[in-house]
Amino acid sequence: MGETVINSRYELVRPLGQGASSTVFEVRDRQHGDRLRALKLVWEGADEDLLRGEFFRLSRLDHEGLVKVHDLDRNRALVRLDGVEIHPGRLFLVADLVPGHEPLGVLEGIPEGARDRWLRGVTRDLASALWHLHRHGLVHHDLKPDNMLVVTQKSGAQRATLIDLGLAARPGAGGDGARGTLAYMAPEALAGGGDHRVDLYSLGATLFHLAQGRPPFSGRGSQLIQQILQDQPTLQQPWLSPEMTALITRLLRKEPLQRPQSARR
């Protein structure tokens, strides 16, 4: 076996990207006909519980808008790819490789007259995936454009897929700490509170970003926190229908009771 093969099974092809604590590689699964998959590898010293939790949560879920996982293991020997060394003992997760594209890039290629319809489809897809999570007692906690991909199906239709459940947890399971990416967090989530409706706020923030080309608020640090707590963002996009504008505005309400109460409606 070559030095680019992990555990005599996963042949590294290329890096796909990296997050705060992990790197994702495209790999060939030699035990399944060289099928291409995604291998997410935890950095040395990073919190392995996030990856372990992501695997076990996804392994219990079955939804077309969520990634399917196949394996959780540790690298048993030194492997290398393009000068990067992966040392023994590193925990990794193997999942389906989602052949998708970043949503903002996809949106740029869509004529303005079709963008509202496209965004409605993305909304339905994300809401369906969230509803599935919420039915199983989980809150995603980190919905944002970076954690989704748009996949073009054989029929030509496009579907939005969530690709990261690293912070997903049961309501209240995260203790007192805030979970998520600040620019997309609901006011009640800033102190670690909230229930499934924090995901509905994040859905609104994500849709706002896709429609407007930027998150709802543009401050940093304490300034951004104050904006989230006090300001109501204004969505002004000529191609966006009044119905979608009203939905996004409602999702971004400060009070959870003023938002839609479930991802089903």
Side-chain angles (χ1 to χ4, degrees):
M1 295 295 178
E3 62 182 11
T4 61
V5 180
I6 293 180
N7 294 356
S8 302
R9 176 174 178 180
Y10 302 110
E11 181 183 355
L12 298 174
V13 177
R14 62 188 176 101
L16 294 174
Q18 63 183 36
S21 61
S22 60
T23 301
V24 180
F25 294 90
E26 179 180 327
V27 298
R28 290 189 180 92
D29 186 348
R30 292 188 166 186
Q31 288 188 12
H32 288 85
D34 284 345
R35 180 172 296 178
L36 293 176
R37 300 199 190 279
L39 184 146
K40 187 174 184 179
L41 184 81
V42 173
W43 294 351
E44 188 173 358
D47 185 0
E48 294 183 348
D49 286 342
L50 291 178
L51 191 70
R52 193 176 289 110
E54 181 177 4
F55 175 82
F56 287 113
R57 285 188 290 272
L58 280 169
S59 66
R60 296 194 298 267
L61 300 171
D62 185 14
H63 188 276
E64 58 187 346
L66 300 172
V67 177
K68 293 184 183 298
V69 293
H70 302 280
D71 194 11
L72 181 72
D73 203 351
R74 291 187 184 276
N75 177 35
R76 295 193 289 268
L78 176 68
V79 295
R80 300 182 179 88
L81 180 68
D82 297 334
V84 177
E85 293 188 343
I86 301 173
H87 294 273
R90 302 278 291 280
L91 187 70
F92 64 85
L93 171 157
V94 178
D96 280 347
L97 181 66
V98 180
H101 301 278
E102 296 179 355
L104 287 168
V106 174
L107 181 59
E108 289 177 358
I110 297 175
E112 283 199 4
R115 289 184 176 181
D116 183 80
R117 183 171 66 253
W118 179 86
L119 194 62
R120 286 173 185 261
V122 167
T123 304
R124 286 192 296 270
D125 295 342
L126 295 178
S128 178
L130 289 177
W131 170 243
H132 189 74
L133 286 175
H134 297 164
R135 284 179 57 215
H136 286 80
L138 294 172
V139 179
H140 188 280
H141 284 298
D142 201 20
L143 179 58
K144 57 184 178 180
D146 285 349
N147 280 345
M148 56 177 288
L149 289 172
V150 177
V151 180
T152 301
Q153 300 172 317
K154 291 181 179 180
S155 65
Q158 293 183 328
R159 180 169 191 88
T161 300
L162 292 177
I163 59 172
D164 194 333
L165 267 70
L167 296 182
R170 296 187 179 278
D176 296 328
R179 302 167 69 90
T181 302
L182 184 57
Y184 304 90
M185 289 174 63
E188 69 271 24
L190 296 175
D195 54 20
H196 67 281
R197 290 171 292 185
V198 302
D199 281 348
L200 301 181
Y201 181 97
S202 297
L203 174 61
T206 296
L207 297 174
F208 186 104
H209 190 161
L210 295 180
Q212 202 71 36
R214 58 172 176 80
F217 303 109
S218 57
R220 293 186 177 181
S222 60
Q223 181 188 25
L224 178 55
I225 291 173
Q226 288 303 309
Q227 290 175 341
I228 293 171
L229 292 173
Q230 299 176 2
D231 298 345
Q232 190 66 36
T234 300
L235 182 57
Q236 295 179 329
Q237 183 57 264
W239 54 260
L240 199 63
S241 67
E243 293 79 11
M244 280 300 297
T245 300
L247 174 61
I248 295 170
T249 300
R250 188 178 171 206
L251 287 165
L252 288 171
R253 294 296 185 193
K254 307 298 182 189
E255 293 294 331
L257 285 173
Q258 295 180 355
R259 300 173 204 148
Q261 296 302 289
S262 85
R264 291 191 72 181
R265 57 187 188 277

